[in-house]
């Protein structure tokens, strides 16, 4: 049985042998291609995303929803070319694909870092900068 939710979308009563229905892989590929085309049109090297809906559009990966709307511990960098770098909790992440590479997120939000927020922001920014340099942005 498939391990992740997006792979279970079309199983059970929804599966038929006369219609392709939604090709999830093609959907993900086309969404990322459209987004990267717009980055190129705008002459942007990449984009940093925090919004869970935007991340879902760019990667096709689901999230725990409400938790990630409050705590800024899941974010993504979408480069103009190549795979999206998705930062989050690695323990729950699916395996890397040709479109999405997973990394451990650093939190800079006050609630998880408390009085260490300034140091946390510095570590987070350094991590983002290192990733942008790695991507050639």
């Amino acid at each position: 049985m498939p391990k992740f939710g997006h792979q279970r979308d079309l199983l059970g009563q929804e599966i038929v042998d006369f219609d392709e229905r939604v090709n999830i892989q093609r959907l993900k590929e086309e969404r990322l291609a459209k987004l990267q085309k717009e980055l190129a049109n705008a002459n942007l090297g990449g984009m940093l995303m925090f919004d869970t809906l935007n991340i879902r559009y760019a990667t096709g990966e689901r999230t725990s929803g409400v938790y990630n709307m409050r705590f800024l511990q899941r974010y993504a960098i979408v480069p103009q070319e190549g795979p999206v770098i998705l930062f989050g909790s690695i323990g729950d992440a699916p395996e890397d694909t040709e479109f999405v590479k997973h990394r451990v997120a650093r939190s800079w939000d006050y609630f998880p870092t408390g009085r260490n927020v300034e140091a946390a922001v510095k570590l987070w920014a350094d991590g983002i900068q290192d990733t942008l340099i790695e991507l050639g942005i």
Side-chain angles (χ1 to χ4, degrees), residues 61-79:
E61 294 192 13
R62 295 181 178 184
T63 180
S64 62
V66 175
Y67 176 82
N68 287 311
M69 288 180 179
R70 174 59 194 97
F71 294 102
L72 304 175
Q73 296 173 351
R74 188 164 199 243
Y75 46 95
I77 296 177
V78 181

Side-chain angles (χ1 to χ4, degrees), residues 23-128:
N23 181 325
I24 300 296
Q25 186 64 27
R26 188 181 79 213
L27 178 72
K28 290 178 183 183
E29 291 172 18
E30 289 176 357
R31 283 179 174 175
L32 180 57
K34 286 179 188 178
L35 183 56
Q36 289 178 323
K37 181 181 176 190
E38 291 304 317
L39 287 170
N41 289 343
N43 198 29
L44 296 172
M47 175 186 311
L48 176 62
M49 296 180 164
F50 280 97
D51 185 277
T52 56
L53 297 176
N54 291 336
I55 292 171
R56 171 86 189 267
Y57 182 90
T59 66
E61 294 192 13
R62 295 181 178 184
T63 180
S64 62
V66 175
Y67 176 82
N68 287 311
M69 288 180 179
R70 174 59 194 97
F71 294 102
L72 304 175
Q73 296 173 351
R74 188 164 199 243
Y75 46 95
I77 296 177
V78 181
Q80 192 181 106
E81 295 179 353
V84 175
I85 307 297
L86 179 59
F87 297 85
S89 173
I90 291 299
D92 297 331
E95 293 184 24
D96 289 346
T97 68
E98 62 182 296
F99 303 106
V100 180
K101 305 296 180 200
H102 296 88
R103 305 255 174 102
V104 175
R106 295 180 188 262
S107 178
W108 55 267
D109 190 20
Y110 176 81
F111 288 98
T113 62
R115 294 181 182 176
N116 301 312
V117 70
E118 288 183 35
V121 167
K122 172 101 173 81
L123 286 171
W124 176 83
D126 289 346
I128 294 295

